[in-house]
Amino acid sequence: MEMVEVPLKDRVTIAQKRAAQKSQTAQKNNGRSNAWTLVSTLPHAFRDPVILPPPKIPTTQTESQYTALYTFIIALVELSGGTLKDSALDRYLKRVNASDSTVVDGYDRTEKLLQRMIKDGYLLKIRENQGGEETIEWIVGPRGRVEVGDEG
């Protein structure tokens, strides 16, 4: 295992970039997030679930399902060029029947599960108003970039 610092959240919207310029907190921390995560350094041949099973919190099956879902959504976002519109994400989740039958750790609705992924740092939900019309896009969060990344 290797300790890797989780990067700061990206400033995506124009409003976020302006606020970051006015704020001095990023300069005080020298651009560091002070959040760390463990990343496996094992070769892919040894990353078999038999050798390296998922954590047992709350259960192995629940954690495996959650890991599979956030990895799937991160892959969708990356394959879509780095951003994915909310309507497209809904369409993909309906195709794999995740929108109706997602029951992971008591999250019986996809919206609650996506909120957990946002809270955990795997995804970021970007809302922008352009000409009075609100657009919602999804991008990979800092923890998703570290734990899953492009190779994931």
Side-chain angles (χ1 to χ4, degrees), residues 8 11 18 30 48 70 74 81 87 116 128 140:
L8 292 171
R11 309 292 190 235
R18 287 182 185 155
N30 294 327
D48 191 315
Y70 73 67
I74 288 173
S87 59
R116 179 181 169 195
E128 272 193 287
V140 179

Side-chain angles (χ1 to χ4, degrees), residues 52-111:
L52 187 65
K56 295 181 180 179
I57 304 172
T59 66
T60 302
Q61 181 181 5
T62 302
E63 193 63 27
S64 298
Q65 291 171 348
Y66 180 63
T67 303
L69 281 169
Y70 73 67
T71 304
F72 172 69
I73 294 173
I74 288 173
L76 287 174
V77 172
E78 288 295 326
L79 291 172
S80 298
T83 61
L84 184 64
K85 293 188 185 272
D86 191 47
S87 59
L89 178 62
D90 287 339
R91 193 171 58 246
Y92 287 127
L93 291 176
K94 285 178 183 174
R95 273 190 196 161
V96 297
N97 203 22
S99 61
D100 297 329
S101 62
T102 299
V103 181
V104 176
D105 194 25
Y107 295 97
D108 56 346
R109 299 183 60 211
T110 309
E111 296 167 11

Side-chain angles (χ1 to χ4, degrees), residues 9 11 19 23 27 34 38 45 47 51 66 76 78 92 95 105 110 113 122 124-125 131 139 142 144-146 152:
K9 289 184 180 177
R11 309 292 190 235
S23 173
Q27 293 175 355
N34 294 328
L38 285 173
R47 293 187 188 187
I51 298 170
Y66 180 63
L76 287 174
E78 288 295 326
Y92 287 127
R95 273 190 196 161
D105 194 25
T110 309
L113 186 64
Y122 291 112
L124 293 176
K125 186 176 186 177
I139 62 172
R145 277 185 268 137
V146 171

